[in-house]
PDB file of all heavy atoms in Angstrom:
ATOM      1  N   ALA B 204       8.077  -6.945  14.449  1.00  0.00           N
ATOM      2  CA  ALA B 204       8.423  -6.152  15.630  1.00  0.00           C
ATOM      3  C   ALA B 204       9.901  -6.309  15.963  1.00  0.00           C
ATOM      4  O   ALA B 204      10.504  -7.348  15.696  1.00  0.00           O
ATOM      5  CB  ALA B 204       7.575  -6.603  16.818  1.00  0.00           C
ATOM      6  N   PHE B 205      10.473  -5.253  16.506  1.00  0.00           N
ATOM      7  CA  PHE B 205      11.857  -5.246  16.985  1.00  0.00           C
ATOM      8  C   PHE B 205      12.891  -5.414  15.872  1.00  0.00           C
ATOM      9  O   PHE B 205      14.052  -5.735  16.162  1.00  0.00           O
ATOM     10  CB  PHE B 205      12.071  -6.330  18.058  1.00  0.00           C
ATOM     11  CG  PHE B 205      11.304  -6.094  19.318  1.00  0.00           C
ATOM     12  CD1 PHE B 205      10.120  -6.776  19.565  1.00  0.00           C
ATOM     13  CD2 PHE B 205      11.754  -5.180  20.262  1.00  0.00           C
ATOM     14  CE1 PHE B 205       9.404  -6.569  20.742  1.00  0.00           C
ATOM     15  CE2 PHE B 205      11.035  -4.962  21.441  1.00  0.00           C
ATOM     16  CZ  PHE B 205       9.857  -5.646  21.673  1.00  0.00           C
ATOM     17  N   THR B 206      12.497  -5.224  14.607  1.00  0.00           N
ATOM     18  CA  THR B 206      13.468  -5.305  13.511  1.00  0.00           C
ATOM     19  C   THR B 206      13.921  -3.897  13.124  1.00  0.00           C
ATOM     20  O   THR B 206      13.264  -2.902  13.457  1.00  0.00           O
ATOM     21  CB  THR B 206      12.870  -6.033  12.297  1.00  0.00           C
ATOM     22  OG1 THR B 206      11.651  -5.407  11.905  1.00  0.00           O
ATOM     23  CG2 THR B 206      12.585  -7.498  12.635  1.00  0.00           C
ATOM     24  N   GLY B 207      15.037  -3.819  12.409  1.00  0.00           N
ATOM     25  CA  GLY B 207      15.738  -2.562  12.172  1.00  0.00           C
ATOM     26  C   GLY B 207      14.954  -1.407  11.588  1.00  0.00           C
ATOM     27  O   GLY B 207      14.668  -0.414  12.265  1.00  0.00           O
ATOM     28  N   VAL B 208      14.608  -1.516  10.300  1.00  0.00           N
ATOM     29  CA  VAL B 208      13.910  -0.425   9.617  1.00  0.00           C
ATOM     30  C   VAL B 208      12.553  -0.165  10.252  1.00  0.00           C
ATOM     31  O   VAL B 208      12.117   0.981  10.367  1.00  0.00           O
ATOM     32  CB  VAL B 208      13.752  -0.744   8.106  1.00  0.00           C
ATOM     33  CG1 VAL B 208      12.933   0.336   7.414  1.00  0.00           C
ATOM     34  CG2 VAL B 208      15.119  -0.874   7.441  1.00  0.00           C
ATOM     35  N   CYS B 209      11.903  -1.222  10.692  1.00  0.00           N
ATOM     36  CA  CYS B 209      10.575  -1.089  11.297  1.00  0.00           C
ATOM     37  C   CYS B 209      10.623  -0.218  12.553  1.00  0.00           C
ATOM     38  O   CYS B 209       9.767   0.647  12.761  1.00  0.00           O
ATOM     39  CB  CYS B 209      10.008  -2.462  11.641  1.00  0.00           C
ATOM     40  SG  CYS B 209       9.912  -3.592  10.239  1.00  0.00           S
ATOM     41  N   SER B 210      11.646  -0.442  13.367  1.00  0.00           N
ATOM     42  CA  SER B 210      11.770   0.283  14.633  1.00  0.00           C
ATOM     43  C   SER B 210      12.353   1.675  14.462  1.00  0.00           C
ATOM     44  O   SER B 210      11.905   2.633  15.099  1.00  0.00           O
ATOM     45  CB  SER B 210      12.661  -0.507  15.605  1.00  0.00           C
ATOM     46  OG  SER B 210      12.099  -1.757  15.920  1.00  0.00           O
ATOM     47  N   ALA B 211      13.349   1.787  13.584  1.00  0.00           N
ATOM     48  CA  ALA B 211      14.087   3.045  13.462  1.00  0.00           C
ATOM     49  C   ALA B 211      13.416   4.058  12.541  1.00  0.00           C
ATOM     50  O   ALA B 211      13.576   5.274  12.723  1.00  0.00           O
ATOM     51  CB  ALA B 211      15.504   2.773  12.956  1.00  0.00           C
ATOM     52  N   GLN B 212      12.636   3.565  11.543  1.00  0.00           N
ATOM     53  CA  GLN B 212      12.082   4.484  10.554  1.00  0.00           C
ATOM     54  C   GLN B 212      10.572   4.377  10.366  1.00  0.00           C
ATOM     55  O   GLN B 212       9.872   5.391  10.360  1.00  0.00           O
ATOM     56  CB  GLN B 212      12.770   4.255   9.197  1.00  0.00           C
ATOM     57  CG  GLN B 212      14.267   4.522   9.210  1.00  0.00           C
ATOM     58  CD  GLN B 212      14.873   4.315   7.846  1.00  0.00           C
ATOM     59  OE1 GLN B 212      14.606   5.041   6.882  1.00  0.00           O
ATOM     60  NE2 GLN B 212      15.718   3.295   7.740  1.00  0.00           N
ATOM     61  N   HIS B 213      10.087   3.142  10.178  1.00  0.00           N
ATOM     62  CA  HIS B 213       8.696   2.995   9.746  1.00  0.00           C
ATOM     63  C   HIS B 213       7.702   3.489  10.806  1.00  0.00           C
ATOM     64  O   HIS B 213       6.890   4.384  10.540  1.00  0.00           O
ATOM     65  CB  HIS B 213       8.404   1.539   9.383  1.00  0.00           C
ATOM     66  CG  HIS B 213       7.320   1.393   8.373  1.00  0.00           C
ATOM     67  ND1 HIS B 213       7.058   0.211   7.715  1.00  0.00           N
ATOM     68  CD2 HIS B 213       6.411   2.284   7.889  1.00  0.00           C
ATOM     69  CE1 HIS B 213       6.044   0.385   6.871  1.00  0.00           C
ATOM     70  NE2 HIS B 213       5.629   1.634   6.979  1.00  0.00           N
ATOM     71  N   VAL B 214       7.760   2.917  11.995  1.00  0.00           N
ATOM     72  CA  VAL B 214       6.837   3.344  13.055  1.00  0.00           C
ATOM     73  C   VAL B 214       7.024   4.820  13.412  1.00  0.00           C
ATOM     74  O   VAL B 214       6.037   5.576  13.518  1.00  0.00           O
ATOM     75  CB  VAL B 214       6.965   2.455  14.305  1.00  0.00           C
ATOM     76  CG1 VAL B 214       6.167   3.045  15.468  1.00  0.00           C
ATOM     77  CG2 VAL B 214       6.468   1.041  14.006  1.00  0.00           C
ATOM     78  N   PRO B 215       8.263   5.317  13.584  1.00  0.00           N
ATOM     79  CA  PRO B 215       8.440   6.737  13.909  1.00  0.00           C
ATOM     80  C   PRO B 215       7.861   7.685  12.862  1.00  0.00           C
ATOM     81  O   PRO B 215       7.399   8.777  13.212  1.00  0.00           O
ATOM     82  CB  PRO B 215       9.964   6.891  13.986  1.00  0.00           C
ATOM     83  CG  PRO B 215      10.439   5.541  14.424  1.00  0.00           C
ATOM     84  CD  PRO B 215       9.545   4.572  13.706  1.00  0.00           C
TER      85      PRO B 215
END
Side-chain angles (χ1 to χ4, degrees):
F205 294 101
T206 55
V208 176
C209 303
S210 298
Q212 298 181 67
H213 207 167
V214 171

